[in-house]
Amino acid sequence: MSVEQLIVALVVVAAVGFGVARTVRIIPQATAAIIERLGRYHRTLTPGLNLVVPFIDRIKDLIDLREQVVSFPPQPVITSDNLVVSIDTVIYFQVTNPKAATYEIANFLTGVEQLTVTTLRNVVGGMDLERTLTSREDINTALRGVLDEATGKWGIRVNRVELKAIDPPSSIQDSMEKQMRADRDKRAAVLTAEGQRQAAILQAEGEKQAAVLRARGEAEAAVLRAQAEAEAQAMRAKGQADAIGMVFRAIHEGRPDQHLLAYQYLQTLPEIAKGDANKIWIVPSEMGKVLENLGGLFTPPKSPDT
């Protein structure tokens, strides 16, 4: 084989190898390849081993079919009460039609961003600041509905839209903080007053119940003391009556004479005189007879013979 033939053979082998290399295309998982044949869309390659016609077919784009997360920079939005707020958004989307994402729009990321900004301004423009700050879920739902409908012809499905932050102007933030502090102080004062009122009511109820219980206890104690005193007086009266009866029976059974009675009367006089209030003595009219009887106590009895 001559040198010229060897060179031709090497060129042919290189051309065949290059053609085979251009014929076989391996597409990664979760990726789609757009194939153009002679400048026109031909087909979409799926993941795995694919064969194309070299020098006629070419891969225009590789499209990622996984869900993508894109965070857009803060956008100034004017609310219905003419306040400018800065809103950060995060879009979760996925390419469902690689052909439409390639040919229906030049750059679908830029299209999604601009559509998000305009839709956000339309949605927030119909809300005041307070509602904007408290209605994130409503804004997310409205954005998702509009974006999903508009990007459907681009072969894109918007799965979620989230608002990362809604930042009002610094002056508005200061006013809101002051208002929040005032509201908290007001609620605290109301709760404190309510607590004091409840405490006063409970204390008054407790004092009322305590007074009722004390009065009831004192009344019962007075009744019990009166009953005890009555029973004691009855027992003392009965004891005195029994004592008087016993003395009376003893006197009658002993048959005392006048001399004994006079002697007992003299013994009783010192007891009468012991009282500090006894300043006046009343002498009975029979005192002379009593003294005569006392004198007779010391006179010896006469014998029968005298």
Side-chain angles (χ1 to χ4, degrees):
M1 179 179 294
S2 63
V3 177
E4 291 80 2
Q5 293 176 346
L6 180 61
I7 294 174
V8 171
L10 291 176
V11 170
V12 171
V13 171
V16 171
F18 182 74
V20 171
R22 294 293 301 269
T23 301
V24 177
R25 288 289 184 265
I26 298 176
I27 305 303
Q29 182 67 32
T31 305
I34 301 299
I35 298 297
E36 289 183 348
R37 176 169 291 181
L38 300 177
R40 296 181 61 183
Y41 171 77
H42 177 60
R43 63 193 176 101
T44 301
L45 300 183
T46 58
L49 181 63
N50 295 270
L51 299 178
V52 298
V53 178
F55 307 107
I56 297 178
D57 296 338
R58 75 180 184 92
I59 297 178
K60 178 176 177 55
D61 288 318
L62 288 176
I63 306 299
D64 192 348
L65 301 179
R66 296 173 297 178
E67 184 175 15
Q68 301 181 45
V69 181
V70 179
S71 177
F72 298 132
Q75 298 294 329
V77 181
I78 301 176
T79 61
S80 62
D81 47 358
N82 296 324
L83 294 175
V84 179
V85 295
S86 179
I87 301 179
D88 296 350
T89 55
V90 179
I91 305 297
Y92 298 80
F93 70 93
Q94 186 175 11
V95 177
T96 58
N97 189 341
K99 177 183 176 182
T102 303
Y103 295 103
E104 295 296 333
I105 187 170
N107 189 332
F108 60 83
L109 283 179
T110 303
V112 170
E113 179 181 3
Q114 296 302 319
L115 185 59
T116 300
V117 172
T118 56
T119 305
L120 185 63
R121 288 175 178 174
N122 292 333
V123 173
V124 177
M127 300 180 178
D128 56 11
L129 178 61
E130 183 176 358
R131 186 181 174 189
T132 302
L133 296 176
T134 58
S135 302
R136 291 195 177 194
E137 190 63 31
D138 297 338
I139 298 174
N140 293 340
T141 303
L143 281 175
R144 178 184 174 185
V146 174
L147 291 175
D148 196 20
E149 181 181 358
T151 58
K153 63 179 182 179
W154 300 343
I156 297 173
R157 181 178 68 245
V158 177
N159 296 325
R160 295 175 60 189
V161 179
E162 297 292 341
L163 301 183
K164 289 197 304 183
I166 301 177
D167 299 325
S170 58
S171 59
I172 300 299
Q173 290 183 2
D174 295 339
S175 300
M176 293 173 62
E177 291 178 358
K178 292 179 181 179
Q179 182 179 1
M180 291 175 62
R181 285 195 296 268
D183 291 339
R184 285 196 295 267
D185 295 341
K186 179 181 177 181
R187 288 196 297 269
V190 170
L191 292 176
T192 302
E194 184 66 22
Q196 292 177 353
R197 188 177 72 88
Q198 292 292 337
I201 291 174
L202 293 176
Q203 183 177 0
E205 290 290 338
E207 292 177 354
K208 177 182 176 181
Q209 294 179 2
V212 171
L213 292 176
R214 283 196 299 269
R216 186 177 300 172
E218 291 175 357
E220 293 177 355
V223 171
L224 293 176
R225 284 196 298 270
Q227 291 178 353
E229 183 66 23
E231 292 178 358
Q233 290 179 0
M235 293 181 67
R236 285 195 297 269
K238 182 178 179 183
Q240 292 177 358
D242 293 341
I244 291 173
M246 291 176 63
V247 172
F248 183 77
R249 286 193 299 271
I251 291 174
H252 282 276
E253 291 176 357
R255 297 181 180 276
D257 54 6
Q258 295 181 353
H259 298 85
L260 179 59
L261 294 175
Y263 180 73
Q264 291 293 331
Y265 181 77
L266 289 177
Q267 287 184 340
T268 307
L269 290 179
E271 296 295 331
I272 297 174
K274 285 182 180 180
D276 295 335
N278 295 331
K279 303 301 182 180
I280 300 175
W281 284 36
I282 299 175
V283 179
S285 58
E286 293 85 0
M287 191 62 185
K289 294 182 179 181
V290 173
L291 293 177
E292 291 179 359
N293 293 331
L294 290 176
L297 290 176
F298 299 99
T299 304
K302 296 180 181 181
S303 62
D305 295 334
T306 57

